[in-house]
Amino acid sequence: MALNKNGVLGWATLIMIIIGLGLIALGAFKYSEVAGYGFAAVGVGFFAIAWVFNALKGRV
């Protein structure tokens, strides 16, 4: 299975979206204290990085 640069960026985007959703879910459902806000903030950060990876597809 040979991956070019766009394939790698696509898989990285998908993985980061899944991890971001997991972190937001942890912040929303498991940790109801202040730590939940941190988990949710990091999850949103993962979404931002995944968005950048998606924007880079086709340009690298």
Side-chain angles (χ1 to χ4, degrees), residues 3-56:
L3 286 175
N4 57 9
K5 295 175 189 175
N6 290 331
V8 170
L9 284 172
W11 278 106
T13 301
L14 179 68
I15 291 169
M16 293 198 70
I17 287 173
I18 291 170
I19 292 175
L21 284 173
L23 286 170
I24 290 172
L26 275 174
F29 299 118
K30 181 160 176 51
Y31 298 107
S32 59
E33 301 90 25
V34 177
Y37 296 125
F39 274 97
V42 172
V44 171
F46 268 81
F47 277 149
I49 296 170
W51 181 33
V52 170
F53 282 169
N54 193 29
L56 285 175

